[in-house]
Each structure stands twice: as C-alpha cells, then as structure tokens.
Amino acid sequence: MKELILVRHAKSDWTNESITDIDRPLNERGYTDAYQLSDWYQQDYDLPQLIISSPATRAINTAFIFTRSFGLLEASVKIESDLYESPVKEYLKVISKLDDSYNQVMIFGHNPAITNLTNELNHELLFENIPTCGIVKIEFSETSWKGVVDNKNGKLIINKFPKSFK
C-alpha cells in the first residue's frame, strides 16, 4: 500500500514585487497556517518516510516548517526541481521514479498542479482548488509508485485546509 500526501505551499508574500517568483517567501499568514496544519497532521497521522519539495522558497519554507513540527531534520527534505512551474505530468514522473521502499511520501508543490494531480489520482471527490497550505492524502492499494501513476485509483483519506481552523 502507498500513501501520497500532497501539500500546496503556504500563503506567499507579494509585498516586494522585485523578488523573483521562485524566491518569494511566505507571509505571516503562511507561517501561521503551516505551523497549525503541520502540528495537526503530526498529532493524528503517521509521519511520511520521504519529504519532497519544489525548489521555490515558499514551498521549501512550508516543507521545513512541517519537517520541524515532525521532529525531523531539515536536511531530510529532498528538493526536486521538476516540481516548479510544472504540469501534472512532471509530478507524475517524479512519483513514478520514487523508490518503492517508501510507502508514505509527502510532496510540497504549487497550483494548478497540486489540484490537478489530486483530481487525477482520486475519483471520489474532485476539487476546484486546493488552497494554500491545503493537505490531501491519497491511499493506493498499489505496491509500486509506478503502479500508482499507471492506475490512478487512489482513495482520498484527508482533505484539510487552513479555513478548517478559523
């Protein structure tokens, strides 16, 4: 069995327009939401065996907050350049190449890919938009990540968004 936890990066800071998109940091709400959702997740669910993030600052910062909340080292986050400004097919390539020894993988990325990937991998509940810092967890009966990508027959386990805590 495989579990994929998809997290859209937390809310980013747009106050300095001279910062390039990839370097945009989180804003105050982004930090608050990331700490709140990471604390909630680690209290109720098994921690991922592997954490992967887009190279964008806002995604890495979100991943680091989750990692620290989980009591893991930030060095355990794997940066995957193919997750930045990429369509779903790039995310699927990354997933299909995962080592099958990992059963629970958490990926930090961007929209529209996170929403589209969620909708492609599960057919129980379709989303118009996964909001910033939204978490979805999809479970697969597959024994390989290639099988996950080939069959796309996941079962939605979690869909938790920051507004749930407001």
Side-chain angles (χ1 to χ4, degrees):
M1 183 180 312
K2 302 292 182 199
E3 290 182 345
L4 186 63
I5 306 109
L6 301 173
V7 183
R8 181 176 172 199
H9 66 76
K11 194 80 170 159
S12 59
D13 186 348
W14 287 79
T15 56
N16 185 345
E17 293 180 20
S18 68
I19 294 177
T20 60
D21 183 69
I22 197 165
D23 294 325
R24 190 171 300 116
L26 298 178
N27 67 15
E28 186 176 328
R29 183 178 131 201
Y31 281 104
T32 300
D33 289 348
Y35 280 107
Q36 193 165 42
L37 271 93
S38 61
D39 287 343
W40 166 81
Y41 186 90
Q42 64 90 21
Q43 288 177 16
D44 292 333
Y45 298 96
D46 292 334
L47 301 183
Q49 298 166 310
L50 177 65
I51 298 173
I52 302 171
S53 177
S54 153
T57 299
R58 59 195 179 276
I60 293 170
N61 287 346
T62 306
F64 283 173
I65 290 169
F66 274 70
T67 302
R68 283 193 301 273
S69 290
F70 296 167
L72 304 172
L73 297 175
E74 291 175 358
S76 64
V77 176
K78 179 183 175 203
I79 307 302
E80 180 56 66
S81 61
D82 291 337
L83 299 180
Y84 178 67
E85 292 189 334
S86 302
V88 169
K89 69 179 184 175
E90 294 301 320
Y91 280 69
L92 291 170
K93 282 183 193 175
V94 168
I95 294 165
S96 70
K97 293 177 184 175
L98 291 171
D99 186 318
D100 288 332
S101 66
Y102 297 114
N103 292 318
Q104 292 181 310
V105 176
M106 183 174 270
I107 296 178
F108 291 83
H110 309 270
N111 258 0
I114 291 292
T115 297
N116 294 339
L117 182 60
T118 299
N119 290 339
E120 193 162 327
L121 294 177
N122 105 91
H123 301 287
E124 295 179 51
L125 182 60
L126 299 180
F127 296 89
E128 186 174 319
N129 177 53
I130 302 294
T132 53
C133 212
I135 301 174
V136 294
K137 183 175 187 175
I138 306 169
E139 184 179 86
F140 304 87
S141 60
E142 308 296 331
T143 58
S144 74
W145 290 105
K146 185 173 180 338
V148 164
V149 169
D150 289 345
N151 296 321
K152 299 176 184 150
N153 61 351
K155 178 180 179 184
L156 188 67
I157 304 298
I158 297 173
N159 60 307
K160 194 72 162 181
F161 307 143
K163 69 179 179 181
S164 305
F165 297 95
K166 309 256 188 269

